[in-house]
Amino acid sequence: MDGTIEFTMGLSEGVAWPWPIAVYLFFAGISGGAMTIALALRFFKGQTGNTPFLKAASVVALGTILLGMVCLVFDLTNPLFFWRILVFYNLNSVMSIGVVALLFYIPLVAILALLALEEEIRNIKALSFLLPIVNAFKGIRRPAEMLTLALALAVCAYTGFLISALIRFPLINTSVLPALFVASGLSAGAASAKMIAVGMFGEDLHSGEMKLLHGAEWPIMFFEALFIFMIAVSLMTGNAGAQMAFAAFTEGTWSSVFWIGVVGIGFAGPLLLNFATGKTFSHSSQAFYLSGVCAVTGMMCLRLFILYAGQMYAI
């Protein structure tokens, strides 16, 4: 027995990477994106306190990466042997490198979440047992945040590298995919954290942080659209196999997922909401939440489209 873990036919039949992998890619992207945006903002503004957005991003990052790992484990051919991926490594494998990154990323995010939520923990007596842990890690908070920022970006990109290794599928096997997954992760992660910051931690809709984050959405969306365009053009102008894969954008059920889910909801939705509400956008909680839901939905549709359409339109 060589310890190899097979991620095939765990919960789905007929495709090598079934829906639990798409959901895992979705959750991992949101986790890495939320943590990246929050820590980058923290360093950029020289913050030392626990802001509502940092609290929200920590909660989102920890919750989504744990949910993603549940999906990943249940897609194993033998879920009860998930521990093997923690023991057997092949550093020539993208999967193994990703597992190593996650082994550090997950506990670091948990630690940063405890530090960010210190006030809430102190106010809940049932959670007082966590205070010694919070106090123990205060002294290394800044280096822990720096390392977590690097790992969060790696987690976003790793999901793209992971599936781009499927060389039989031109739509998936592209060097642009990791960059696309980073951009979409940042977009959906920021949207998720903003909604939680406002809804749970009392962030003002028109605070300085929220305005800065809202302004950052547009360049991120631009690069996300640019990367999708690059993939489509490379397929359309490529060899016969690539041109066959380009059909995923123009025919069948998955083209509808792309044009309605990714383009219509994910891109056009926030843009239309912004222009339709004009200067009142940042003052309208309904438009704010709806825009966030559009961004997150678009990201999920993108992951499903890339994974499923990519495997169905093979060489």
Side-chain angles (χ1 to χ4, degrees):
M1 184 178 297
D2 62 2
T4 300
I5 299 293
E6 295 182 15
F7 286 81
T8 59
M9 309 305 177
L11 293 178
S12 300
E13 298 292 337
V15 293
W17 297 80
W19 66 264
I21 299 299
V23 177
Y24 161 69
L25 297 175
F26 169 71
F27 282 134
I30 286 183
S31 177
M35 205 75 250
T36 297
I37 290 288
L39 291 177
L41 181 64
R42 185 171 176 81
F43 292 143
F44 175 74
K45 298 193 71 174
Q47 297 169 339
T48 56
N50 295 318
T51 65
F53 184 75
L54 179 65
K55 294 177 182 181
S58 300
V59 170
V60 168
L62 182 60
T64 51
I65 197 61
L66 292 177
L67 288 171
M69 294 308 296
V70 170
C71 292
L72 198 61
V73 167
F74 274 93
D75 190 57
L76 293 172
T77 303
N78 297 300
L80 294 179
F81 292 106
F82 73 93
W83 56 268
R84 291 182 183 173
I85 64 176
L86 307 179
V87 177
F88 297 98
Y89 295 103
N90 173 14
L91 294 182
N92 292 321
S93 163
V94 176
M95 175 67 75
S96 288
I97 294 173
V99 169
V100 172
L102 288 169
L103 280 175
F104 288 97
Y105 174 74
I106 295 173
L108 280 170
V109 170
I111 290 168
L112 294 186
L114 290 177
L115 291 169
L117 297 170
E118 179 182 0
E119 181 182 353
E120 286 73 14
I121 292 172
R122 291 188 183 279
N123 292 333
I124 301 175
K125 290 184 179 180
L127 298 179
S128 60
F129 69 95
L130 294 172
L131 289 176
I133 302 175
V134 173
N135 293 327
F137 285 102
K138 279 185 177 179
I140 60 168
R141 180 168 186 168
R142 184 58 58 160
E145 288 175 341
M146 294 174 67
L147 179 56
T148 305
L149 175 58
L151 289 172
L153 273 171
V155 167
C156 280
Y158 145 73
T159 56
F161 283 116
L162 178 64
I163 65 170
S164 66
L166 295 174
I167 59 176
R168 290 193 300 118
F169 310 114
L171 177 57
I172 293 175
N173 181 228
T174 169
S175 59
V176 180
L177 201 60
L180 172 59
F181 275 25
V182 169
S184 65
L186 292 175
S187 178
S192 301
K194 286 196 303 178
M195 289 189 288
I196 297 298
V198 172
M200 289 184 59
F201 295 104
E203 177 66 284
D204 188 344
L205 270 176
H206 16 89
S207 67
E209 274 197 2
M210 296 300 284
K211 289 179 180 178
L212 183 61
L213 290 166
H214 182 59
E217 289 177 356
W218 308 117
I220 292 174
M221 286 179 62
F222 168 78
F223 281 107
E224 188 179 355
L226 177 63
F227 295 141
I228 293 173
F229 177 75
M230 290 169 65
I231 292 173
V233 170
S234 68
L235 293 176
M236 184 173 59
T237 59
N239 58 28
Q243 291 178 18
M244 182 185 302
F246 178 74
F249 290 93
T250 60
E251 62 184 42
T253 301
W254 290 106
S255 69
S256 298
V257 171
F258 175 76
W259 289 106
I260 297 174
V262 179
V263 177
I265 297 176
F267 288 111
L271 286 170
L272 289 174
L273 282 168
N274 183 68
F275 288 115
T277 54
K279 292 182 179 180
T280 65
F281 181 84
S282 61
H283 299 269
S284 170
S285 59
Q286 293 85 357
F288 167 77
Y289 284 113
L290 188 54
S291 178
V293 169
C294 285
V296 174
T297 302
M299 180 200 177
M300 184 69 240
C301 290
L302 176 64
R303 295 304 203 261
L304 287 169
F305 171 77
I306 291 290
L307 198 64
Y308 270 93
Q311 291 180 92
M312 291 178 179
Y313 291 84
I315 296 176

